[in-house]
Every structure is written in C-alpha cells, then in structure tokens.
Amino acid sequence: HLYAPGETNGVPINLSPVKKDGVNFSEVKYPEPTKKKFENFPSPLLLYEGKIDTSFEFSISSKIENIEADFSWQSCNDM
C-alpha cells in the first residue's frame, strides 16, 4: 500500500508541479483514501491500495515546451 495525504505514520504520496513562469497549476486531486487498521498502530491508517489516479490541471500563458512535476511516496508490503 501507499500512504495517503494526511497520514502521519508514514510518508504520504506527494505530487508537486514544479513552478514555472507562464504556467498556473490547480491543486493536486487525490482519490479518497481507504482507512485500514493494523495491529501495530492504535488508529486506522489512510492508505491507497491497487491502482490510483491523481492529477492536476494547468493553464499556459506563454510559450512553454514542457512542464515538470515531482512525485514522492513510501510504500509498504505489510510484512
């Protein structure tokens, strides 16, 4: 599984568009996470399992050849 944004017991996924002059980005959209209880943690964790889709919208006000985004995560195999 992957930790969802808002989870404090692991490093949550983070998609961050790289700021660039002439480009405006929307907030990143994340799907609703699953809450799952593990015996090692006192409360359920916010997780993603399987395939997830995340996105952001952008508008361009000048000639831009590319945009960039950073993506980070911590995965766990429950072992």
Side-chain angles (χ1 to χ4, degrees):
H1 62 256
L2 297 175
Y3 297 102
E7 181 54 60
T8 59
N9 289 297
V11 177
I13 68 169
N14 183 43
L15 176 62
S16 297
V18 176
K19 295 187 186 306
K20 189 177 220 178
D21 288 340
V23 183
N24 294 310
F25 296 99
S26 70
E27 256 188 67
V28 175
K29 297 175 188 172
Y30 295 99
E32 192 67 31
T34 299
K35 290 182 181 179
K36 190 170 183 180
K37 180 75 175 101
F38 292 90
E39 60 183 63
N40 296 346
F41 297 95
S43 58
L45 302 179
L46 301 173
L47 307 173
Y48 296 126
E49 297 179 303
K51 179 184 174 185
I52 65 164
D53 291 314
T54 185
S55 64
F56 58 86
E57 295 179 1
F58 61 94
S59 62
I60 300 171
S61 62
S62 62
K63 185 176 179 179
I64 302 292
E65 293 186 17
N66 61 27
I67 62 168
E68 297 178 26
D70 294 322
F71 187 69
S72 59
W73 70 94
Q74 176 186 356
S75 62
C76 182
N77 64 7
D78 298 335
M79 297 180 136

